[in-house]
């Protein structure tokens, strides 16, 4: 429907991926602010079955975009399918969850439609009728209020966790489900998927750890790791790391916490020299008690921590290890 | 094989960020800079590929005069030559406007492969590589963690998916790949490399050299505008434990025992 807001649902093994409901929640907020109808588009192989679940949420209608070419996911047919749908229905806004898959194809869609694309948004509000989208450039250290310039459809992707799936209101009755007729017969699928797999089973299963001491780039170099190893040992905990520590091969990949590593929720999580980028936070923010040790008082990690020590880890960690040893008698 | 690697100059990681008087950008005067992290990995990947199968690596950067420093670093690491899109008209572009310029410059080189980082550490759009692929009409793949030498006009790469999943795919050349940090250990520039870099070609280009109208790039060509840049208010603020290291450590242990009851 012309002028509508679309929330695009990503499928995972035939089910709506959880973050898609967060996008619907964001869409409901934007729709209320702008007085525009919200529709969901379920895109992918098997979309018809998944659409019924999405239709339970408060949306005007659910559009199904299904075609054998959409299985397995590759960027060309996805881009073509949604471009055709957008050109046919001319929605004003098309919203997505900022998943790895969305990173892979939605910029293509933006270029194909010559549309603006505000990615990785954490909030939306309307300033005098004009929607403002908040994102976090500079690795989450700053916020930026963004607005669209120029005409054409407007694409927005939302950071995981910025909106809550539970806030996506249910409708009074199921929304209407309609088939979006698209013809992908002329679309060439250039990418060939050979194999989708999980790397060797994680050697260390950090998800079972009670206490985790995670170390970040602030440790400076591999030779300094002994410092945090000692703290982890004193606490009877496991050692984990942020991505750069593993990228630099200071610790093996199976110690990585975050969106491309393990997701953990120990009783106690100590983040040492970790800034708190969103891709790290998604892997640990549900931990019981979070402690951050960082020399930068503005590091984003402090906004998810319960306790913080602002200081040089090379002073704080040895002091903490000594105190823990004394207290626990180890 | 000809490979273009897009590199962006960004503020150094621990640099203090000052908001400029316009309230929309960061005041970068005098601030330390580096090559964007994933772009360093992209450059490393390009150099390895070119070393393996033969060919050249062209570094491509859009940025102001001061970004020459990043270009020199790339040349010192081993890039054969560089293209610097540097003109007042390029200023304050969004991902869309910048990708238009980068696509024009990279496309004119007719490379086999364009590599970019997956995301810039300053703007963080995570769009540019894929945008320029579509602008050129080339296939693309993102979050690449391994690249095999091309065969029969196709290239085989390993993509990172979420939560520890990966995927091997192939795509036809020419193509654009966005490189994930960690793909291969990044080399250091040697003294010889640094000396040699001074003699390498650095071509400066303006919109007209790319066949573009100034209105298509920079602020004039953008679809997204930053209205305000500011330090976020933190929602759930941690309790910051005061005192010197020993005092703060003692307070923490006390809190963990008595308040959080996790020790
Ligand atoms: C698609 C994608 C997936 C990603 N997946 C992951 C992932 O799974 N896991 C992950 O962790 N990251 C991931 N990242 C990377 C993420 O964006 C960040 O770059 C990364 O988490 C930063 O790691 P860090 O905090 O250790 O390093 P930095 O951001 O460099 O932070 C280092 C911190 O150490 C502090 N510090 C420095 N010296 C000291 C000292 N002496 N004492 C105390 N503090 C000090 C600094 O103040 C700074 O805050 C991903 C990124 C992308 C784009
Ligand atoms: N101004 C620029 N000059 C050269 N390359 C860039 C520029 N901006 C972005 N890129 C490339 O595009 C990637 C993604 O950037 P972004 O879309 O801003 O997250 C970066 O890692 C760079 O490789």
């Amino acid at each position: 429907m012309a002028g509508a807001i679309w929330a695009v649902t990503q499928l995972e093994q035939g089910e709506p991926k959880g973050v898609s409901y967060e996008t619907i929640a964001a869409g409901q907020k934007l729709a209320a602010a702008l007085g525009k109808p919200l529709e969901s588009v379920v895109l992918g192989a098997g979309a018809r079955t998944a659409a019924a679940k999405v239709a339970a949420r408060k949306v005007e209608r659910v559009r199904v975009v299904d075609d054998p070419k959409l299985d397995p996911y590759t960027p060309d047919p996805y881009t073509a399918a949604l471009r055709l749908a957008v050109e046919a229905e001319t929605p004003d806004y098309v919203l997505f969850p900022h998943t790895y898959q969305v990173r892979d194809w939605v910029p293509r869609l933006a270029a194909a439609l010559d549309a603006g694309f505000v990615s990785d948004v954490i909030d939306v509000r309307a300033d005098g009728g004009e929607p403002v989208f908040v994102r976090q450039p500079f690795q989450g250290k700053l916020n930026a209020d963004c607005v669209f310039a120029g005409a054409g459809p407007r694409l927005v992707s939302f950071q995981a966790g910025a909106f809550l799936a539970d806030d996506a209101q249910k409708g009074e009755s199921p929304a209407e489900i309609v088939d979006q007729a698209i013809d992908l017969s002329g679309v060439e699928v250039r990418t060939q998927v050979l194999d989708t797999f999980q790397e060797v089973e994680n050697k260390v299963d950090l998800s079972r750890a009670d206490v985790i001491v995670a170390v970040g780039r602030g440790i400076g170099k591999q030779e300094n790791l002994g410092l945090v190893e000692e703290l982890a040992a004193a606490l009877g905990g496991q050692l984990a790391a942020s991505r750069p520590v593993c990228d630099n091969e200071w610790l093996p990949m199976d110690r990585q916490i975050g969106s491309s590593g393990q997701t953990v929720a120990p009783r106690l999580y100590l983040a040492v020299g970790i800034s708190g980028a969103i891709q790290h936070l998604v892997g640990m923010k549900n931990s019981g008690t979070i402690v951050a040790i960082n020399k930068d008082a503005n590091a984003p990690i402090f906004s998810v921590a319960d306790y913080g020590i602002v200081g040089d880890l090379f002073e704080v960690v040895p002091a903490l290890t000594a105190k823990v040893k004394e207290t626990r008698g180890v | 094989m000809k490979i273009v690697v897009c590199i962006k100059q960004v503020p150094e990681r621990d640099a203090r960020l000052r908001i400029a008087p316009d309230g929309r950008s960061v005041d970068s005067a005098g601030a330390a800079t580096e090559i964007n992290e994933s772009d360093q990995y992209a450059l490393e990947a390009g150099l390895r590929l070119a070393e393996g199968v033969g060919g050249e690596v062209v570094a491509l950067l859009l940025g102001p005069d001061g970004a020459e420093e990043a270009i020199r670093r790339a040349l010192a690491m081993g890039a054969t030559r560089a293209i610097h899109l540097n003109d007042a008209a390029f200023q304050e572009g969004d991902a869309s406007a910048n990708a238009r310029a980068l696509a024009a410059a990279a496309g004119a080189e007719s490379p086999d492969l364009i590599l970019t980082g997956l995301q810039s550490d300053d703007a963080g759009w995570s769009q540019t590589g894929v945008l320029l692929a579509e602008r050129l009409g080339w296939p693309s793949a993102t979050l690449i963690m391994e690249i095999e030498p091309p065969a029969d006009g196709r290239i085989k790469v390993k993509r990172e998916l979420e939560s520890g999943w990966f995927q091997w795919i192939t795509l036809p050349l020419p193509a654009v790949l966005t490189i994930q940090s960690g793909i291969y250990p990044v080399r250091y520039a040697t003294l010889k490399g640094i000396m040699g870099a001074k003699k390498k070609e650095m071509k400066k280009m303006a919109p007209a050299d790319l066949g573009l109208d100034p209105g298509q790039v920079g602020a004039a060509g953008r679809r997204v505008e930053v209205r305000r840049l500011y330090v976020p208010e933190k929602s759930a603020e941690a309790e910051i434990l005061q005192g010197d290291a020993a005092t703060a450590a003692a307070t923490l242990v006390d809190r963990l025992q008595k308040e959080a009851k996790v020790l």
Side-chain angles (χ1 to χ4, degrees):
Chain A
M1 179 175 156
I5 298 170
W6 282 5
V8 176
T9 294
Q10 180 179 328
L11 297 181
E12 192 169 60
Q13 271 130 35
E15 294 285 323
K17 192 172 163 72
V19 285
S20 303
Y21 293 113
E22 298 177 11
T23 308
I24 291 177
Q28 288 175 343
K29 184 172 178 190
L30 184 63
L34 300 181
K36 288 176 187 286
L38 175 69
E39 304 182 347
S40 180
V41 177
V42 187
L43 176 68
R48 211 155 280 118
T49 329
K53 295 209 169 120
V54 179
R57 304 294 167 136
K58 194 171 164 225
V59 294
E60 297 271 318
R61 83 178 42 75
V62 177
R63 295 181 186 274
V64 170
V65 180
D66 192 351
D67 189 282
K69 277 200 176 157
L70 300 175
D71 182 36
Y73 162 81
T74 57
D76 291 336
Y78 264 64
T79 305
L82 207 61
R83 177 177 60 76
L84 291 168
V86 167
E87 284 171 354
E89 307 295 339
T90 61
D92 275 358
Y93 291 89
V94 187
L95 317 181
F96 304 84
H98 192 65
T99 59
Y100 287 17
Q101 191 176 98
V102 162
R103 290 166 176 270
D104 196 57
W105 70 280
V106 175
R108 287 201 88 93
L109 178 70
L113 291 167
D114 201 16
F117 178 22
V118 187
S119 44
D120 212 6
V121 165
I122 58 159
D123 200 7
V124 45
R125 58 166 205 275
D127 280 355
E130 185 187 34
V132 174
F133 299 90
V134 186
R135 39 193 318 278
Q136 300 183 298
F138 297 93
Q139 300 263 297
K141 290 189 194 108
L142 297 178
N143 275 12
D145 286 353
C146 298
V147 295
F148 282 95
R154 300 166 160 197
L155 313 185
V156 184
S157 67
F158 290 92
Q159 186 170 96
F163 286 81
L164 297 177
D166 287 347
D167 286 349
Q169 295 165 44
K170 297 232 158 64
E172 274 159 28
S173 56
E176 153 194 39
I177 298 175
V178 297
D179 261 315
Q180 187 70 38
I182 46 154
D183 178 8
L184 297 185
S185 56
V187 174
E188 191 196 348
V189 181
R190 291 174 290 186
T191 305
Q192 194 191 347
V193 177
L194 303 178
D195 188 18
T196 303
F197 60 98
Q198 241 176 336
E199 204 79 274
V200 280
E201 285 298 305
N202 287 326
K203 272 180 257 142
V204 278
D205 182 3
L206 295 171
S207 67
R208 290 164 187 280
D210 224 22
V211 175
I212 288 179
V213 178
V215 57
R217 188 176 356 227
I219 196 68
K221 53 181 183 214
Q222 190 171 26
E223 293 73 56
N224 295 337
L225 281 176
L227 211 64
V228 277
E229 266 161 0
E230 219 183 311
L231 175 59
L235 286 163
Q238 287 275 5
L239 189 63
S242 67
R243 178 161 194 131
V245 170
C246 302
D247 283 349
N248 283 311
E249 300 183 344
W250 299 343
L251 282 174
M253 274 277 276
D254 59 8
R255 298 271 163 182
Q256 184 175 312
I257 304 294
S259 61
S260 41
Q262 298 194 49
T263 302
V264 297
R267 278 195 310 135
L268 175 61
Y269 190 94
L270 275 97
V272 179
I274 291 178
S275 61
I278 179 65
Q279 294 86 7
H280 187 80
L281 300 186
V282 295
M284 47 66 72
K285 64 174 194 274
N286 293 325
S287 302
T289 299
I290 299 173
V291 176
I293 299 170
N294 197 302
K295 67 175 183 190
D296 175 8
N298 289 321
I301 189 75
F302 287 119
S303 61
V304 299
D306 300 287
Y307 304 107
I309 298 179
V310 178
D312 184 351
L313 72 90
F314 296 100
E315 290 170 21
V316 176
V317 171
L320 184 57
T321 307
K323 192 70 200 171
V324 170
K325 281 185 173 165
E326 179 192 316
T327 310
R328 299 187 75 222
V330 289
Chain B
M1 194 177 186
K2 189 176 190 179
I3 303 166
V4 171
V5 182
C6 293
I7 56 165
K8 189 178 191 189
Q9 187 178 49
V10 298
E12 202 173 63
R13 272 185 175 272
D14 286 354
R16 282 248 157 269
L17 300 171
R18 280 187 317 261
I19 312 275
D22 68 6
R24 289 183 284 116
S25 56
V26 159
D27 180 359
S28 50
T33 61
E34 60 190 356
I35 299 179
N36 184 55
E37 183 170 31
S38 54
D39 303 359
Q40 296 180 28
Y41 285 100
L43 187 56
E44 177 64 43
L47 292 170
R48 280 183 189 227
L49 205 54
E51 283 157 7
V53 301
E56 67 162 336
V57 172
V58 182
L60 172 60
L61 179 146
L62 181 153
D65 290 344
E68 273 184 21
E69 204 179 314
I71 294 180
R72 253 182 306 227
R73 279 180 209 157
L75 293 173
M77 273 174 71
T80 326
R81 58 194 170 86
I83 301 170
H84 186 182
L85 308 186
N86 181 4
D87 189 86
F90 290 127
Q91 278 171 26
E92 288 188 57
D94 64 351
S96 163
N98 292 348
R100 184 177 288 117
L102 291 167
E109 289 284 330
S110 309
D112 302 289
L113 198 60
I114 299 174
L115 304 181
T116 73
L118 85 152
Q119 182 168 320
S120 59
D121 290 339
D122 55 355
W125 295 113
S126 64
Q127 298 182 26
T128 306
V130 179
L131 283 171
L132 62 94
E134 178 68 21
R135 291 228 174 269
L136 292 167
W138 295 5
S140 57
T142 55
L143 288 145
I144 302 305
M145 286 298 280
E146 225 173 303
I147 305 176
E148 291 199 349
D152 303 325
R154 291 183 79 86
I155 192 157
K156 182 175 164 189
V157 295
K158 184 165 118 185
R159 291 188 62 215
E160 179 180 305
L161 308 180
E162 272 153 85
S163 336
W165 286 82
F166 295 88
Q167 186 175 61
W168 279 107
I169 60 172
T170 71
L171 54 167
L173 296 175
V176 180
L177 305 176
T178 82
I179 305 299
Q180 168 64 299
S181 293
I183 181 168
Y184 308 117
V186 174
R187 69 192 62 193
Y188 291 100
T190 58
L191 189 61
K192 190 164 156 253
I194 295 166
M195 299 311 292
K198 295 185 175 133
K199 291 187 231 83
K200 290 180 176 172
E201 177 188 302
M202 194 196 297
K203 188 158 65 175
K204 189 173 145 171
M205 297 181 94
D209 305 317
L210 303 169
L212 293 172
D213 186 276
Q216 293 175 286
V217 298
R222 72 188 167 202
R223 312 308 303 259
V224 177
E225 187 182 321
V226 174
R227 178 132 318 159
R228 191 163 83 90
L229 195 64
Y230 52 100
V231 178
E233 278 170 42
K234 297 204 182 103
S235 40
E237 191 73 70
E239 184 192 347
I240 302 295
L241 308 176
Q242 305 296 335
D244 62 11
T247 313
T251 316
L252 176 60
V253 169
D254 186 64
R255 291 281 199 284
L256 294 179
Q257 278 190 308
K258 304 201 177 117
E259 217 172 70
K261 300 192 171 30
V262 288
L263 269 195

